[in-house]
Amino acid sequence: MRWWPRSIRWQMLAGLLLLEILSIALFALVVMRQQNKELKERAHQRLTYEAGALASQSAEALARESPGWLDLSVRMKGEAPSIASAKVTDAAGNVLSISEGDKSKANLEPAERATIPMLTAGKAECLDLPHNRWECAKAIYVGNTMRGIAWVEFDERTLRDRFRALLYGMEIFGGIWVLASTALVLLMSRSIAQPLAVLHRGTRALMNKNDGNFPLPVTVKNEIGDLILAFNGMVASLDEQRAGLNDTLSLLDSMLAYAPIGLALFDRSCRLVRVNQVFAGITALPLSRHLGRTLADVLPQPIAQELKEAVQQVLDGEKPVQNLELSGQRGKPPQPWTWLVSAYPVRTTHQQVRWVGMVVLDATERKLSEEALRRTEKLAVTGRMAATIAHEINNPLEGITNLLFLLRNYSGLDATALNYVNMAEYELRRISEITQQTLRFYRQSTLPSRTPLRELLDSVLSLYHGRLNALGIQVVRDYDPEMSLFCFAGEIRQVVANLVGNAIDAASQGGRLEIRARQCNSGKDGAASGMRFTVADTGAGMEPEVRECIFEPFFTTKEVMGTGLGLWVSREIVLKHHGHIAVRSRSASRATQTGSTSGTVFRFFIPDDEKLAGNNARNAV
Ligand SMILES: Nc1ncnc2c1ncn2[C@@H]1O[C@H](COP(=O)(O)OP(=O)(O)OP(=O)(O)O)[C@@H](O)[C@H]1O
Ligand SMILES: [Mg+2]
């Protein structure tokens, strides 16, 4: 019903008007019918009476044979109220007198003629004429003879006037009724439609998240007013719940954003719906480039495939996948990494897994530390064994030295045998030296001491003597072995050993290794005096990106052969002595371009400060 109004106010008004119009029309119809019936009855009575009166007057006039009297009687009757016309005819129907018009031209109508035979003495006969006209006829008797008929016609204008008055009354009554009910409806609609409109506006504002309109004004004190109050209460409690939810969400958000582990959420089609900064760091893509992407879009194969299988496994089996270990290499130069991945189902209802959450823990350091620890443990065991062997060898060496001394003094030896004894003594001294160095390496002092360079540098070189010889590396010693330095001897020896070890690893057959030591002031501020050590080789050198990372723990290019801790530990030792270390290197590829030789130079400075070293000793203890 397109024409039917939408608002309650106009619906109530239109409904009421329709109802009123219908009820008033029905009421008018019933009243009119009733009135019509009553008026007709009264008109019949009146006509019967008037016809009777005219008949008796006419009977007298006819008896006296006075046409004038007859005419007067007829004319007066015709002018009586509610009478339209009157006439008197003879028994055959010929008009003798008529109230209006010319009696010679007047004729009875067919209905009137048909009534004449039915007329009897004493009884008036009423008849309906065409066009809603009523007439009454009464026979005129003079003595026992019927001398004529008196005809009286009702003035229907009387009826029309009555109806009009009735209608007018009804119109006034209807108008007042409609006006009063309209006012009532408008009044009622104020207390229903207006608060409902307020409620409607409030609901819309709530949908548009416009909280400024609340609480809604309560303008009426009825059920709708109570409804608005309840609505205000509901909005307030929703606000409280929303604030609580927001708090929880911000808590989760910050946990997700700042957690030191990689976190990601996947939907059922294995697409990323949320990731945190750490996860973005793992994929090396900006945070915004993850949403809606698959794992294959953000990670290389086969890692992406393995992770996808874990997610799918959770979706299919709805059971968490825990501590899946993934490893590989990345970066330039490539470095090993290890991740521990766990995936778990996230349900919104008990039935279905809506998302899959993934936690990625970077276990690279832990893995490398474990490996380094294993290797260090092995080295320590080997060192202890070497020290034990060196110690055990010392005793028979003493015996052999004594025996050779006795043999040298034996008189029966010729020159050749004596030469052999000399050679044996020389080799024995070397064995003894090696065992001493080995023991010195193992037995490190916890207190700093003034140590001659001979002990710091020669001891290292004699340890690497075998490897240096095997590779035919020419060793250049540029230092005074008698010069000394106040330091933790064992630690400085370890630094030199690391640098020499690296130089030998990088060296090719027939290279050169130069070890230099000079007393000088610190290159940095020129204040502290100390010793500057240089370890230079003509090995393969380093590319710039390798040189950048060499002091980082676990950085190595030697795969399983190196732990990547040597230079990191060396730098820590130098810093502990308040010194500094630097490196220069030219890679083989760069050397080919420039037509020079490749190689690496490490320089480190150790201050010769007994007070400083003393502090360090206290710290170390
Ligand atoms: N003299 C050098 N020439 C060329 N590269 C070097 C030299 N010294 C160090 N490097 C590079 O620096 C890396 C780190 O050296 P570092 O001594 O810390 O670890 P490593 O030698 O690999 O292992 P580790 O010393 O624990 O056995 C080496 O892997 C190597 O690539
Ligand atoms: Mg090393």
Side-chain angles (χ1 to χ4, degrees):
M1 288 199 292
R2 240 185 262 156
W3 52 271
W4 189 245
R6 283 198 65 235
S7 73
I8 287 189
R9 176 187 300 190
W10 298 117
Q11 275 179 7
M12 280 173 75
L13 206 62
L16 197 82
L17 281 177
L18 264 179
L19 200 71
E20 280 175 354
I21 289 168
L22 275 176
S23 57
I24 289 172
L26 200 70
F27 177 68
L29 203 73
V30 170
V31 168
M32 301 278 250
R33 278 175 74 91
Q34 188 64 31
Q35 284 290 314
N36 196 24
K37 203 172 147 200
E38 272 178 27
L39 280 175
K40 203 169 172 182
E41 269 171 24
R42 265 198 240 144
H44 276 192
Q45 283 170 3
R46 178 83 192 263
L47 282 179
T48 310
Y49 169 76
E50 294 292 349
L54 183 60
S56 64
Q57 283 171 5
S58 302
E60 252 185 84
L62 287 173
R64 291 184 193 179
E65 300 204 344
S66 168
W69 192 359
L70 183 70
D71 283 344
L72 183 68
S73 302
V74 168
R75 210 166 42 248
M76 279 178 68
K77 194 53 68 191
E79 285 168 8
S82 308
I83 302 300
S85 66
K87 59 183 179 254
V88 172
T89 60
D90 59 13
N94 300 315
V95 177
L96 300 176
S97 176
I98 190 160
S99 60
E100 289 167 346
D102 190 351
K103 64 180 173 193
S104 58
K105 290 180 187 162
N107 270 323
L108 287 189
E109 294 178 33
E112 289 172 322
R113 284 196 182 283
T115 312
I116 293 174
M118 292 186 276
L119 290 172
T120 53
K123 188 173 175 261
E125 207 53 63
C126 283
L127 62 153
D128 287 347
L129 295 176
H131 308 300
N132 241 354
R133 286 157 54 220
W134 304 325
E135 201 174 39
C136 198
K138 176 134 192 195
I140 305 168
Y141 277 85
V142 177
N144 288 330
T145 319
M146 181 174 156
R147 292 284 303 276
I149 303 161
W151 302 86
V152 182
E153 189 183 328
F154 189 73
D155 186 359
E156 48 122 16
R157 272 179 309 175
T158 317
L159 211 60
R160 227 183 293 143
D161 287 349
R162 279 192 172 242
F163 272 122
R164 213 170 278 153
L166 197 70
L167 268 180
Y168 185 62
M170 277 191 178
E171 272 169 20
I172 289 180
F173 166 77
I176 292 171
W177 179 247
V178 166
L179 279 179
S181 52
T182 306
L184 192 73
V185 163
L186 289 178
L187 210 70
M188 276 170 68
S189 73
R190 257 179 75 84
S191 62
I192 297 175
Q194 221 175 35
L196 276 181
V198 170
L199 210 58
H200 175 242
R201 276 199 298 276
T203 315
R204 281 208 163 273
L206 198 67
M207 280 160 63
N208 297 335
K209 300 196 175 69
N210 179 5
D211 293 355
N213 293 3
F214 290 97
L216 298 176
V218 183
T219 50
V220 286
K221 283 187 181 169
N222 56 16
E223 289 87 338
I224 299 182
D226 294 345
L227 186 66
I228 295 179
L229 272 178
F231 187 76
N232 282 341
M234 185 189 78
V235 172
S237 105
L238 273 179
D239 269 353
E240 250 174 56
Q241 285 177 16
R242 199 161 49 187
L245 203 67
N246 282 346
D247 283 353
T248 315
L249 280 178
S250 352
L251 191 85
L252 285 176
D253 262 358
S254 51
M255 272 171 68
L256 189 75
Y258 300 112
I261 46 173
L263 288 168
L265 273 182
F266 296 86
D267 62 13
R268 290 196 67 87
S269 53
C270 287
R271 287 185 181 275
L272 285 157
V273 289
R274 198 132 194 197
V275 297
N276 73 346
Q277 202 64 51
V278 177
F279 191 89
I282 288 172
T283 60
L285 287 172
L287 211 63
S288 55
R289 295 260 310 270
H290 289 79
L291 304 188
R293 308 272 167 103
T294 61
L295 277 163
D297 295 335
V298 295
L299 283 169
Q301 294 296 1
I303 311 160
Q305 186 56 33
E306 282 187 69
L307 291 181
K308 191 182 169 194
E309 275 166 19
V311 173
Q312 201 58 54
Q313 202 175 318
V314 174
L315 283 172
D316 295 344
E318 304 196 354
K319 280 198 195 102
V321 171
Q322 274 174 346
N323 292 334
L324 172 72
E325 193 174 306
L326 296 180
S327 50
Q329 290 210 324
R330 65 175 169 175
K332 208 177 162 207
Q335 287 298 301
W337 56 261
T338 307
W339 296 341
L340 282 182
V341 179
S342 299
Y344 53 90
V346 181
R347 292 185 174 87
T348 43
T349 61
H350 284 298
Q351 286 78 36
Q352 221 200 3
V353 176
R354 176 105 186 256
W355 296 295
V356 174
M358 183 176 276
V359 178
V360 184
L361 197 71
D362 192 346
T364 312
E365 295 243 332
R366 208 180 75 191
K367 192 91 180 155
L368 287 173
S369 317
E370 280 170 10
E371 263 170 37
L373 202 70
R374 260 200 303 276
R375 209 168 300 164
T376 317
E377 190 59 35
K378 264 190 219 161
L379 284 176
V381 170
T382 319
R384 268 199 301 275
M385 220 148 85
T388 317
I389 293 168
H391 183 261
E392 292 308 310
I393 286 173
N394 249 350
N395 294 339
L397 275 186
E398 290 262 321
I400 297 171
T401 313
N402 290 341
L403 285 173
L404 281 177
F405 178 75
L406 291 175
L407 198 60
R408 169 188 286 282
N409 294 330
Y410 185 65
S411 54
L413 285 186
D414 59 8
T416 319
L418 217 77
N419 193 28
Y420 286 144
V421 170
N422 279 343
M423 278 169 68
E425 273 183 340
Y426 174 78
E427 292 303 327
L428 200 62
R429 264 200 305 279
R430 265 195 49 71
I431 294 174
S432 164
E433 210 173 291
I434 289 171
T435 52
Q436 290 303 320
Q437 302 294 7
T438 311
L439 278 173
R440 200 167 293 139
F441 241 92
Y442 184 67
R443 209 188 315 121
Q444 288 185 5
S445 165
T446 49
L447 286 174
S449 58
R450 184 151 292 283
T451 317
L453 290 189
R454 182 174 12 92
E455 270 195 31
L456 292 178
L457 304 176
D458 287 358
S459 57
V460 176
L461 286 172
S462 65
L463 261 186
Y464 283 109
H465 181 76
R467 284 184 71 194
L468 289 165
N469 263 357
L471 283 166
I473 297 172
Q474 181 199 348
V475 179
V476 179
R477 299 167 197 241
D478 183 4
Y479 54 86
D480 178 356
E482 296 312 317
M483 274 192 320
S484 64
L485 178 69
F486 191 83
C487 64
F488 289 91
E491 291 183 356
I492 298 298
R493 241 194 324 261
Q494 196 182 336
V495 174
V496 179
N498 283 341
L499 297 181
V500 171
N502 283 346
I504 297 173
D505 288 343
S508 48
Q509 196 74 32
R512 212 166 83 101
L513 171 69
E514 189 174 332
I515 299 191
R516 199 182 308 142
R518 291 271 189 282
Q519 264 177 336
C520 67
N521 288 333
S522 160
K524 267 193 169 171
D525 51 17
S529 74
M531 192 77 72
R532 180 186 293 135
F533 296 87
T534 307
V535 179
D537 67 71
T538 55
M542 292 177 258
E543 296 292 345
E545 58 267 20
V546 173
R547 204 173 54 220
E548 298 267 295
C549 319
I550 55 174
F551 291 111
E552 284 172 17
F554 304 116
F555 177 82
T556 181
T557 55
K558 298 173 192 167
E559 298 187 350
V560 287
M561 300 304 291
T563 60
L565 290 173
L567 286 179
W568 177 66
V569 169
S570 301
R571 198 175 66 143
E572 293 297 309
I573 291 173
V574 172
L575 292 179
K576 180 179 159 187
H577 283 81
H578 291 199
H580 48 87
I581 185 166
V583 62
R584 277 192 300 129
S585 184
R586 189 185 292 131
S587 68
S589 58
R590 180 104 182 97
T592 328
Q593 280 171 14
T594 54
S596 47
T597 50
S598 62
T600 306
V601 180
F602 277 96
R603 272 208 185 95
F604 66 96
F605 173 81
I606 303 291
D608 195 1
D609 184 351
E610 296 198 7
K611 219 169 25 179
L612 205 69
N615 287 343
N616 275 340
R618 263 198 302 282
N619 291 344
V621 172

mmCIF file of all heavy atoms in Angstrom, residues 304-319:
data_model
loop_
_atom_site.group_PDB
_atom_site.id
_atom_site.type_symbol
_atom_site.label_atom_id
_atom_site.label_comp_id
_atom_site.label_asym_id
_atom_site.label_seq_id
_atom_site.Cartn_x
_atom_site.Cartn_y
_atom_site.Cartn_z
ATOM 1 N N ALA A 304 58.678 -22.032 3.040
ATOM 2 C CA ALA A 304 57.261 -21.685 2.913
ATOM 3 C C ALA A 304 56.425 -22.957 2.882
ATOM 4 O O ALA A 304 55.384 -23.057 3.555
ATOM 5 C CB ALA A 304 57.036 -20.867 1.656
ATOM 6 N N GLN A 305 56.874 -23.950 2.132
ATOM 7 C CA GLN A 305 56.124 -25.194 1.985
ATOM 8 C C GLN A 305 56.028 -25.925 3.334
ATOM 9 O O GLN A 305 54.962 -26.388 3.722
ATOM 10 C CB GLN A 305 56.809 -26.077 0.923
ATOM 11 C CG GLN A 305 56.050 -27.341 0.569
ATOM 12 C CD GLN A 305 54.619 -27.068 0.110
ATOM 13 O OE1 GLN A 305 54.345 -26.035 -0.510
ATOM 14 N NE2 GLN A 305 53.712 -27.965 0.444
ATOM 15 N N GLU A 306 57.165 -25.963 4.063
ATOM 16 C CA GLU A 306 57.170 -26.674 5.349
ATOM 17 C C GLU A 306 56.225 -26.014 6.340
ATOM 18 O O GLU A 306 55.476 -26.683 7.049
ATOM 19 C CB GLU A 306 58.591 -26.708 5.932
ATOM 20 C CG GLU A 306 59.450 -27.771 5.259
ATOM 21 C CD GLU A 306 60.796 -27.914 5.942
ATOM 22 O OE1 GLU A 306 60.823 -28.396 7.079
ATOM 23 O OE2 GLU A 306 61.802 -27.522 5.320
ATOM 24 N N LEU A 307 56.247 -24.656 6.348
ATOM 25 C CA LEU A 307 55.362 -23.931 7.271
ATOM 26 C C LEU A 307 53.902 -24.126 6.873
ATOM 27 O O LEU A 307 53.027 -24.289 7.713
ATOM 28 C CB LEU A 307 55.712 -22.439 7.285
ATOM 29 C CG LEU A 307 57.046 -22.078 7.924
ATOM 30 C CD1 LEU A 307 57.267 -20.583 7.888
ATOM 31 C CD2 LEU A 307 57.076 -22.545 9.371
ATOM 32 N N LYS A 308 53.661 -24.124 5.544
ATOM 33 C CA LYS A 308 52.279 -24.294 5.067
ATOM 34 C C LYS A 308 51.753 -25.673 5.481
ATOM 35 O O LYS A 308 50.597 -25.809 5.894
ATOM 36 C CB LYS A 308 52.253 -24.158 3.541
ATOM 37 C CG LYS A 308 50.842 -24.068 3.017
ATOM 38 C CD LYS A 308 50.777 -23.985 1.539
ATOM 39 C CE LYS A 308 49.323 -24.177 1.131
ATOM 40 N NZ LYS A 308 49.145 -24.433 -0.249
ATOM 41 N N GLU A 309 52.630 -26.669 5.395
ATOM 42 C CA GLU A 309 52.203 -28.013 5.801
ATOM 43 C C GLU A 309 51.837 -28.041 7.279
ATOM 44 O O GLU A 309 50.871 -28.691 7.677
ATOM 45 C CB GLU A 309 53.315 -29.020 5.515
ATOM 46 C CG GLU A 309 53.259 -29.514 4.076
ATOM 47 C CD GLU A 309 54.522 -30.231 3.647
ATOM 48 O OE1 GLU A 309 55.279 -30.658 4.523
ATOM 49 O OE2 GLU A 309 54.742 -30.332 2.431
ATOM 50 N N ALA A 310 52.615 -27.283 8.093
ATOM 51 C CA ALA A 310 52.321 -27.234 9.534
ATOM 52 C C ALA A 310 50.951 -26.599 9.756
ATOM 53 O O ALA A 310 50.143 -27.098 10.551
ATOM 54 C CB ALA A 310 53.394 -26.439 10.253
ATOM 55 N N VAL A 311 50.684 -25.487 9.034
ATOM 56 C CA VAL A 311 49.384 -24.796 9.176
ATOM 57 C C VAL A 311 48.257 -25.733 8.755
ATOM 58 O O VAL A 311 47.233 -25.866 9.437
ATOM 59 C CB VAL A 311 49.363 -23.501 8.326
ATOM 60 C CG1 VAL A 311 47.978 -22.877 8.329
ATOM 61 C CG2 VAL A 311 50.375 -22.509 8.857
ATOM 62 N N GLN A 312 48.456 -26.414 7.621
ATOM 63 C CA GLN A 312 47.433 -27.306 7.089
ATOM 64 C C GLN A 312 47.170 -28.458 8.053
ATOM 65 O O GLN A 312 46.027 -28.859 8.263
ATOM 66 C CB GLN A 312 47.907 -27.842 5.724
ATOM 67 C CG GLN A 312 46.770 -28.349 4.836
ATOM 68 C CD GLN A 312 45.721 -27.277 4.562
ATOM 69 O OE1 GLN A 312 46.060 -26.205 4.102
ATOM 70 N NE2 GLN A 312 44.464 -27.573 4.886
ATOM 71 N N GLN A 313 48.255 -28.934 8.662
ATOM 72 C CA GLN A 313 48.138 -30.032 9.624
ATOM 73 C C GLN A 313 47.250 -29.626 10.796
ATOM 74 O O GLN A 313 46.417 -30.393 11.247
ATOM 75 C CB GLN A 313 49.542 -30.348 10.141
ATOM 76 C CG GLN A 313 49.674 -31.749 10.715
ATOM 77 C CD GLN A 313 51.120 -32.002 11.092
ATOM 78 O OE1 GLN A 313 52.027 -31.625 10.345
ATOM 79 N NE2 GLN A 313 51.339 -32.607 12.229
ATOM 80 N N VAL A 314 47.425 -28.363 11.241
ATOM 81 C CA VAL A 314 46.600 -27.873 12.354
ATOM 82 C C VAL A 314 45.146 -27.765 11.908
ATOM 83 O O VAL A 314 44.228 -28.157 12.626
ATOM 84 C CB VAL A 314 47.118 -26.503 12.847
ATOM 85 C CG1 VAL A 314 46.199 -25.928 13.898
ATOM 86 C CG2 VAL A 314 48.514 -26.650 13.408
ATOM 87 N N LEU A 315 44.946 -27.263 10.670
ATOM 88 C CA LEU A 315 43.578 -27.094 10.164
ATOM 89 C C LEU A 315 42.896 -28.456 10.019
ATOM 90 O O LEU A 315 41.723 -28.606 10.339
ATOM 91 C CB LEU A 315 43.602 -26.373 8.814
ATOM 92 C CG LEU A 315 43.835 -24.861 8.864
ATOM 93 C CD1 LEU A 315 44.021 -24.308 7.467
ATOM 94 C CD2 LEU A 315 42.668 -24.160 9.546
ATOM 95 N N ASP A 316 43.646 -29.444 9.527
ATOM 96 C CA ASP A 316 43.057 -30.769 9.293
ATOM 97 C C ASP A 316 42.850 -31.519 10.607
ATOM 98 O O ASP A 316 41.776 -32.033 10.885
ATOM 99 C CB ASP A 316 43.958 -31.600 8.380
ATOM 100 C CG ASP A 316 44.043 -30.971 6.999
ATOM 101 O OD1 ASP A 316 43.183 -30.120 6.707
ATOM 102 O OD2 ASP A 316 44.972 -31.305 6.234
ATOM 103 N N GLY A 317 43.924 -31.533 11.403
ATOM 104 C CA GLY A 317 43.872 -32.354 12.612
ATOM 105 C C GLY A 317 43.396 -31.597 13.827
ATOM 106 O O GLY A 317 43.068 -32.191 14.831
ATOM 107 N N GLU A 318 43.389 -30.236 13.720
ATOM 108 C CA GLU A 318 42.971 -29.369 14.817
ATOM 109 C C GLU A 318 43.806 -29.580 16.079
ATOM 110 O O GLU A 318 43.367 -29.320 17.188
ATOM 111 C CB GLU A 318 41.489 -29.544 15.117
ATOM 112 C CG GLU A 318 40.651 -29.293 13.887
ATOM 113 C CD GLU A 318 39.200 -29.075 14.198
ATOM 114 O OE1 GLU A 318 38.828 -29.224 15.356
ATOM 115 O OE2 GLU A 318 38.446 -28.738 13.268
ATOM 116 N N LYS A 319 45.029 -30.137 15.876
ATOM 117 C CA LYS A 319 45.937 -30.307 17.027
ATOM 118 C C LYS A 319 47.154 -29.429 16.793
ATOM 119 O O LYS A 319 47.586 -29.263 15.660
ATOM 120 C CB LYS A 319 46.389 -31.765 17.082
ATOM 121 C CG LYS A 319 45.363 -32.668 17.716
ATOM 122 C CD LYS A 319 46.007 -33.973 18.148
ATOM 123 C CE LYS A 319 44.957 -35.001 18.432
ATOM 124 N NZ LYS A 319 44.785 -35.961 17.380
#
